[in-house]
């Protein structure tokens, strides 16, 4: 049976059926519609004001590649300028190839690129060193939990370095729905309370962050990359496979089979969620070491680095959120262990932020 005509231009043959609406569109009309929807998300949510200098968290993966490409198309209408900021976590055999993809994109699109490295920002610690230190196997299940915290900090530092006023990341609707499910499954009211909306306005001196692709499905992100012939890096990070997020992803697939709008419905549910006063987390304060936003005496990044220093790495994602704890004063940060054999024992952490390029 021949493909139907494009619903929009009525000239070309349709090349796809939009997963949610079922609309049959040709490739160019789909890309135009996708860009218009991202523009609407940004304008309706007042995410990026005219004049904003926008740091795009660029990982080389499909989501951040599509985000950078779409924002580059929309930049004249939005009146914003773009900077690519990439984070080098120090993951051997993975990140170098992903960074090569980011460099190609920066050159092709003529966008300035800055790379910030964990090793420079965090006293010599790389993710490989953290993995050795936390598990001794080099493939700890806690890696993504640690990495998600450090990555957030690194992106903030990189954005400040390039004079950005705003940060954007490539999270799509599926990513956000998975996060909502994970927070429900962990009973993490604090994260559920913060998880709604299209971003954060920049509490406590942090730069405002937003997710312009948050209402776009993963399938459509892939289709956009396909029809725009975007060059991106698609290998999975070596530390990702064990992550808890994988269970949420499987669950979401089952839900979408029965209800195609399940991902977007979950995102909207989180936006509208109202917590009872007793369940709300205490208002955040400032980290006693670095001044970043913190719900305890140390922010998560400083607590993590402090734990690595003491040989007792730990994180409290989803645990102990009743109030601020009493952590001792921080000491100087020692260099990471270079010899895997000398690394301390395994961490008790649980992976909570595995990304396949979604950890910004
Ligand atoms: Fe970091 Fe993402 Fe790799 Fe996890 S999957 S270790 S968050 S880069």
């Amino acid at each position: 049976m021949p493909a139907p005509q494009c619903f929009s231009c009525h000239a070309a043959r349709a090349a796809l059926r939009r997963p949610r609406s079922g609309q049959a569109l040709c490739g160019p009309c789909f890309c135009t519609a996708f860009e218009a929807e991202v523009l609407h998300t940004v304008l309706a949510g007042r995410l990026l004001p005219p004049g904003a200098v926008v740091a795009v968290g660029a990982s080389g993966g499909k989501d951040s590649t599509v985000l950078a490409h779409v924002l580059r198309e929309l930049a004249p209408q939005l009146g914003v300028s773009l900077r690519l900021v990439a984070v080098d976590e120090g993951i051997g055999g993975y990140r170098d190839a992903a960074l090569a993809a980011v460099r190609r994109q920066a050159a092709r699109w003529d966008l300035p690129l800055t790379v910030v490295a964990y090793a420079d920002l965090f006293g010599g610690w790389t993710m490989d060193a953290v993995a050795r230190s936390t598990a001794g196997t080099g493939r700890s299940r806690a890696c993504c939990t640690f990495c998600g915290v450090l990555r957030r900090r690194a992106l903030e530092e990189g954005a400040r370095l390039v004079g950005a006023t705003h940060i954007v990341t490539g999270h799509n609707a599926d990513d956000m729905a998975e996060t909502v499910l994970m927070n429900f499954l962990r009973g993490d009211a604090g994260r559920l309370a913060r998880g709604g909306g299209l971003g954060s306005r920049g509490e406590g001196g942090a730069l405002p962050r937003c997710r312009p692709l948050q209402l776009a499905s993963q399938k459509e992100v892939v289709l956009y990359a396909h029809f725009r012939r975007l060059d991106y890096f698609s290998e999975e990070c070596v530390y990702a496979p064990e992550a808890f997020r994988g269970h949420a992803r499987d669950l979401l697939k089952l839900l979408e089979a029965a209800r195609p709008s399940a991902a977007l419905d979950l995102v909207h549910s989180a936006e509208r969620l109202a917590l009872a006063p007793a369940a709300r987390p205490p208002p955040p304060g400032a980290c006693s070491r670095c001044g970043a936003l913190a719900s305890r005496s140390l922010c998560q990044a400083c607590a993590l680095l402090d734990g690595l220093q003491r040989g007792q790495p730990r994180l409290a994602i989803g645990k102990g959120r009743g109030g601020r704890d009493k952590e001792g004063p921080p000491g100087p940060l020692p260099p990471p262990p270079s010899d895997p054999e000398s690394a301390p024992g395994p961490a008790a952490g649980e992976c909570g932020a595995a990304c396949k390029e979604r950890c910004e």
Side-chain angles (χ1 to χ4, degrees):
M1 201 166 98
Q5 265 195 340
C6 172
F7 178 82
S8 179
C9 68
H10 304 290
R13 288 279 166 210
L16 66 108
R17 207 170 268 287
R18 296 197 77 176
R20 283 194 198 120
S21 66
Q23 228 176 33
L25 294 177
C26 65
C29 286
F30 164 71
C31 291
T32 303
F34 186 91
E35 287 160 9
E37 285 163 9
V38 176
L39 178 65
H40 179 261
T41 300
V42 173
L43 292 177
R46 298 185 185 171
L47 302 182
L48 301 172
V53 179
V54 181
V56 182
S59 64
K62 67 177 184 319
D63 298 302
S64 65
T65 299
V66 165
L67 177 64
H69 186 272
V70 172
L71 287 184
R72 184 171 170 272
E73 296 293 309
L74 301 178
Q77 279 165 275
L78 292 169
V80 303
S81 55
L82 304 180
R83 313 275 187 271
L84 299 183
V85 176
V87 176
D88 181 356
E89 304 92 343
I91 301 174
Y94 166 69
R95 187 46 83 194
D96 289 348
L99 286 175
V102 180
R103 290 196 176 93
R104 288 196 299 275
Q105 292 164 3
R108 186 169 308 134
W109 300 335
D110 198 20
L111 289 173
L113 167 66
T114 298
V115 181
V116 287
Y118 281 10
D120 299 331
L121 293 173
F122 305 127
W125 285 95
T126 62
M127 264 318 291
D128 285 338
V130 171
R132 287 195 295 270
S133 180
T134 55
T137 64
R139 297 291 184 269
S140 166
R141 289 188 70 228
C143 282
C144 294
T145 310
F146 293 129
C147 187
V149 171
L150 297 180
R151 232 185 123 71
R152 189 174 176 86
R153 169 62 61 83
L155 188 55
E156 178 88 18
E157 298 289 333
R160 290 186 186 282
L161 204 63
V162 301
T165 58
H166 291 70
I167 296 173
V168 294
T169 59
H171 298 81
N172 61 47
D174 295 54
D175 300 328
M176 299 312 298
E178 288 163 12
T179 300
V180 173
L181 278 176
M182 287 197 306
N183 290 335
F184 263 116
L185 293 172
R186 288 193 297 233
D188 193 335
R191 281 172 181 263
L192 276 171
R194 289 198 304 270
L198 291 159
S200 60
R201 273 185 243 144
E203 284 175 279
L207 291 173
R209 283 181 185 238
C210 61
R211 304 176 284 262
L213 301 183
Q214 183 170 318
L215 303 181
S217 73
Q218 181 150 269
K219 281 183 191 141
E220 296 210 337
V221 169
V222 173
L223 285 169
Y224 183 88
H226 169 74
F227 285 112
R228 288 292 192 225
R229 297 177 191 278
L230 302 183
D231 161 31
Y232 62 84
F233 182 73
S234 55
E235 275 176 44
E236 189 174 72
C237 171
V238 294
Y239 298 121
E242 301 276 344
F244 181 54
R245 181 175 287 269
H247 300 294
R249 188 170 300 145
D250 293 343
L251 184 53
L252 185 62
K253 278 187 195 141
L254 285 174
L255 292 171
E256 280 187 306
R259 182 181 173 86
S261 63
L264 207 54
D265 291 344
L266 270 166
V267 174
H268 289 317
S269 299
E271 283 168 13
R272 295 178 196 131
L273 193 72
L275 289 181
R280 285 182 202 139
C287 172
S288 61
R289 176 185 285 178
C290 72
L293 209 62
S295 55
R296 296 163 172 243
S297 63
L298 290 180
C299 69
Q300 282 198 328
C302 287
L304 164 61
L305 293 167
D306 213 35
L308 288 168
Q309 166 196 345
R310 296 177 190 178
Q312 296 172 327
R314 65 190 177 86
L315 273 183
I317 291 179
K319 301 184 181 77
R321 297 196 162 266
R324 294 182 195 183
D325 65 6
K326 306 236 179 342
E327 279 150 4
L333 197 66
S338 55
D339 174 8
E341 297 304 313
S342 69
E350 177 181 47
C351 182
C355 61
K356 285 207 316 194
E357 309 301 338
R358 285 170 218 155
C359 43
E360 292 91 353

